[in-house]
Structure formats: structure tokens, C-alpha cells
């Protein structure tokens, strides 16, 4: 769904459109990549996997569980402790019938556990298949379908700017590659400006952009745990960096605080009547932080996920004294 935000449009004195991918099954955009991975696997191997396993900081696991449930594939989701909450467990176990294992304190430790499980499989055994959260061409190709939808929904026009948060970078990479493919034979149409948004403490790309090389964070300290990657791949970094230079982006990557993000969650709930998670609200926060950057422009915000409970939002509001 694509919806114009009267509130934000008035605030910035421009047009702000909301691509509500939080309304996908599993409550995030990640259903696209997970489903595409499974269908591409079937096309290559002639059948769907017998079983699927994944590691997740939150939304990816939900999407994989939903995709597997819809296709009748048993699924195991390995979560780290910082992504283990009753709301998420209820969706995974009760609604999507996934097996849930809690391993490690962060996504990387959960991912390492999955890799150790896969390493025990005999060579060539494809009965247990791992779906990565971002570092797979099949996943990125799935996320790229957003670009085609936007192009169709905007009746063949292209926004001036697209804001999307960066976890592992699969969403923004998909958008960039999707628009590049769409406009490859239409040089008269200008590519949109892509703006990568992160929260302080979950900002490997912002730090990489400053250092001009791929950076790995020692740990994550943001409440936006669904952004949950301490780094990404060189190829994804290269794609994001290719649109973030001063020649390509007049404002560059954007960084907001957790406090600004929580304030945006509540303002978005008040005006748009949707409770979104920090990974989505950080995009709203960067607009609220400096509306003048978006004046006179047509901006699309990818509202990527809404896997947050009202109780969490209330806890964050108290935590930051809002």
C-alpha cells in the first residue's frame, strides 16, 4: 500500500508518501525476500526444501516462518536473547507453527549457531536450507520488488527521495538495484536519491561511510534490534556507498537517536494510526529532525515493519522520559 501522509506533507511543505510494507504478512517487508528465496530454490532444484532454518533479530525470522507456513515447510527460527519477547514468540510459535530456539545474546551469536548446525550436514545435503536475512541475491531480488510496485503505484513517476532504514542493507540494496533495472532503458527519467537511515548504536553503514570502508561494530546498543546487524557484506556496502556520496546524495546517510525514534513512534501513531517499530520510525524521526531537508520534494518513506507491542512502546516512552 502507498499512502500520502497529509501530516508530514504539511510539515515539510512538500509531498511525503508512505510505502506501508509493514502491512505485509509477518508485519514487515521481509516477506518479499523470504518468499522469493524459497521460490527461487524450487526453480533451481525442482522442489521446495524439506526443512528451513534461519537466524534473526526479529523481522526476518517472522517472514521466513510466515513463508514456510504458507508453503507447508517445517521451519526453525533461532533468536538471540535480545530479540526474545512474548509478542514475537506468540507469532512465531502459535500463528506460524515455527520451532523457536534462543541462542546467544545478539544476532551474530545466533547466526554462528545456525552455521554450526549447517556444518554438520553431509556435503550436498539440501534437506535443511538456511535463508539468510540479507546476504543472498535471492533475498535482495525479493526486496527489489518494492521498486516495481512503487513505480506502478506512482503511475510511472519517480520520487525525488526514498528513505529506508538499514539493518543488513538488503532492503536498500534491493531498492537501488530495482530502480536501476527499471530505469536502465529510460535514461530520460532521473534516478531517485536514496537516503540510508540508522539509529545511533545500530549504525554500521553510517560508520562505514565516514571511514570510507566496511566497518564492523563491536556491539549494538540501540533499541532498534530489528536493525540488528553489526556489519554487512562488502557487496552490499558498495551498493549503499554508490548512492551516498555528495555527488549522488545532497544529504547523505542520516542518523537519529533512540529518543528521537521513540518520539516519532508516538507521533506516527497519533497521526497515522499505526504502531510501528523503531526500525521504521527512525525514517520518520529523520524527517521530524529537519523538515526543511524535504521541502518542495516528493519523498517516499519505506515503513518497513510494525513488530512492536504497545507495551514496548510505553516502556520506551518511560525510558526516554517522553
Amino acid at each position: 500500500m502507498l499512502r500520502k501522509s497529509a501530516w508530514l506533507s504539511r510539515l515539510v511543505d512538500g509531498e511525503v508518501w508512505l510505502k506501508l510494507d509493514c502491512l505485509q504478512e509477518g508485519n514487515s517487508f521481509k516477506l518479499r525476500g523470504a518468499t522469493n528465496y524459497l521460490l527461487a530454490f524450487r526453480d533451481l532444484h525442482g522442489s521446495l526444501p524439506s526443512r528451513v532454518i534461519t537466524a534473526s533479530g526479529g523481522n526476518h525470522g517472522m517472514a521466513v516462518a510466515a513463508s514456510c507456513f504458507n508453503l507447508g515447510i517445517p521451519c526453525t527460527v533461532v533468536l538471540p536473547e535480545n530479540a526474545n519477547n512474548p509478542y514475537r514468540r506468540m507469532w512465531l510459535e502459535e500463528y506460524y507453527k515455527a520451532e523457536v530456539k534462543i541462542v546467544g545474546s545478539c544476532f551474530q551469536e545466533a547466526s554462528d549457531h545456525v552455521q554450526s548446525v549447517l556444518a554438520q550436514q553431509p556435503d550436498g545435503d539440501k534437506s535443511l536450507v538456511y535463508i539468510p536475512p540479507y546476504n543472498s541475491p535471492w533475498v535482495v531480488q525479493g526486496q527489489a520488488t518494492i521498486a516495481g510496485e512503487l513505480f506502478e503505484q506512482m503511475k510511472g513517476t519517480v520520487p525525488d527521495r526514498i528513505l529506508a532504514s538499514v539493518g543488513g542493507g538488503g532492503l536498500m540494496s534491493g531498492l537501488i538495484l530495482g530502480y536501476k533495472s527499471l530505469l536502465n532503458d529510460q535514461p530520460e527519467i532521473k534516478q531517485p536519491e536514496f537516503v540510508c537511515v540508522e539509529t545511533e548504536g545500530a549504525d554500521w553503514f553510517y560508520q562505514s561511510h565516514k571511514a570510507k570502508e566496511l566497518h564492523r561494530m563491536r556491539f549494538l546498543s540501540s533499541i532498534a534490534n530489528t536493525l540488528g546487524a553489526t556489519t554487512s557484506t562488502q557487496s552490499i556496502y558498495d551498493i549503499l556507498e554508490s548512492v551516498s556520496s555528495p555527488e549522488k546524495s545532497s544529504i547523505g546517510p542520516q542518523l537519529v537517536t533512540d529518543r528521537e525514534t521513540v518520539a516519532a513512534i508516538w507521533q506516527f501513531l497519533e497521526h497515522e494510526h499505526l504502531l510501528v517499530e523503531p526500525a521504521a520510525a527512525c525514517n520518520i524521526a529523520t524527517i521530524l529532525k529537519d523538515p526543511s531537508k524535504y521541502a518542495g520534494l516528493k519523498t517516499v518513506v519505506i515503513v518497513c515493519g510494525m513488530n512492536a507491542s504497545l507495551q514496548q512502546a510505553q516502556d520506551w516512552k518511560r525510558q526516554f522520559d517522553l
Side-chain angles (χ1 to χ4, degrees):
M1 177 186 291
L2 182 68
R3 184 171 87 190
K4 187 176 182 181
S5 171
W7 157 58
L8 289 171
S9 296
R10 185 169 59 251
L11 179 70
V12 305
D13 192 20
E15 291 185 30
V16 178
W17 293 80
L18 307 173
K19 179 59 173 164
L20 296 173
D21 248 43
C22 57
L23 300 180
Q24 296 274 4
E25 187 174 7
N27 302 330
S28 85
F29 74 97
K30 283 183 173 283
L31 186 75
R32 298 173 182 271
T35 301
N36 190 66
Y37 190 102
L38 290 169
L39 298 180
F41 182 96
R42 183 186 63 187
D43 291 345
L44 180 64
H45 297 285
S47 63
L48 291 166
S50 300
R51 292 185 299 138
V52 164
I53 189 169
T54 196
S56 172
N59 288 345
H60 173 67
M62 197 87 78
V64 170
S67 298
C68 287
F69 180 77
N70 291 336
L71 293 169
I73 306 168
C75 174
T76 299
V77 178
V78 180
L79 298 174
E81 192 58 52
N82 68 355
N84 180 27
N85 64 64
Y87 173 82
R88 186 169 288 126
R89 292 288 292 269
M90 177 185 70
W91 276 90
L92 289 170
E93 295 178 323
E94 295 183 25
Y95 296 163
Y96 297 133
K97 309 303 180 185
E99 177 188 27
V100 176
K101 294 184 177 181
I102 309 301
V103 179
S105 61
C106 64
F107 167 74
Q108 191 58 55
E109 292 178 2
S111 180
D112 290 345
H113 170 76
V114 171
Q115 295 307 315
S116 70
V117 171
L118 294 170
Q120 297 171 25
Q121 287 195 108
D123 289 345
D125 184 356
K126 297 294 184 183
S127 59
L128 179 62
V129 170
Y130 170 60
I131 302 182
Y134 53 85
N135 52 331
S136 159
W138 288 346
V139 170
V140 172
Q141 287 162 12
Q143 322 306 21
T145 59
I146 301 180
E149 275 185 21
L150 274 173
F151 194 67
E152 182 177 331
Q153 290 167 335
M154 301 187 82
K155 297 178 169 49
T157 64
V158 174
D160 298 299
R161 266 192 198 139
I162 298 177
L163 272 65
S165 55
V166 173
L171 170 59
M172 185 57 99
S173 295
L175 282 162
I176 294 164
L177 296 176
Y179 268 100
K180 183 177 180 180
S181 176
L182 278 170
L183 302 180
N184 189 47
D185 58 352
Q186 301 182 69
E188 71 280 4
I189 302 179
K190 184 182 177 182
Q191 289 276 350
E193 180 181 345
F194 298 96
V195 179
C196 299
V197 183
E198 294 168 295
T199 56
E200 291 180 6
D203 56 334
W204 72 264
F205 179 66
Y206 189 86
Q207 298 302 327
S208 299
H209 178 71
K210 286 202 307 181
K212 295 183 170 54
E213 63 179 3
L214 182 60
H215 173 79
R216 178 182 291 275
M217 302 184 68
R218 291 178 52 244
F219 57 88
L220 300 174
S221 58
S222 172
I223 63 168
N225 57 26
T226 55
L227 293 182
T230 55
T231 190
S232 188
T233 65
Q234 185 66 46
S235 61
I236 286 180
Y237 164 71
D238 290 341
I239 293 169
L240 302 190
E241 187 62 28
S242 72
V243 300
S244 300
S245 66
E247 295 79 21
K248 296 287 187 177
S249 175
S250 60
I251 62 174
Q254 298 293 293
L255 193 64
V256 293
T257 65
D258 279 349
R259 192 176 197 279
E260 291 165 339
T261 298
V262 173
I265 288 174
W266 284 95
Q267 289 192 56
F268 197 81
L269 178 60
E270 177 183 356
H271 292 282
E272 304 292 346
H273 308 294
L274 286 170
L275 176 60
V276 297
E277 64 191 59
C282 63
N283 296 298
I284 308 303
T286 195
I287 294 177
L288 299 177
K289 191 173 185 176
D290 190 352
S292 66
K293 290 180 178 178
Y294 306 90
L297 300 178
K298 182 182 288 186
T299 300
V300 169
V301 178
I302 310 298
V303 185
C304 56
M306 53 187 293
N307 281 311
S309 66
L310 182 59
Q311 182 62 58
Q312 285 178 305
Q314 291 171 331
D315 290 345
W316 292 325
K317 190 175 184 181
R318 284 190 291 269
Q319 178 181 344
F320 294 102
D321 195 25
L322 292 169

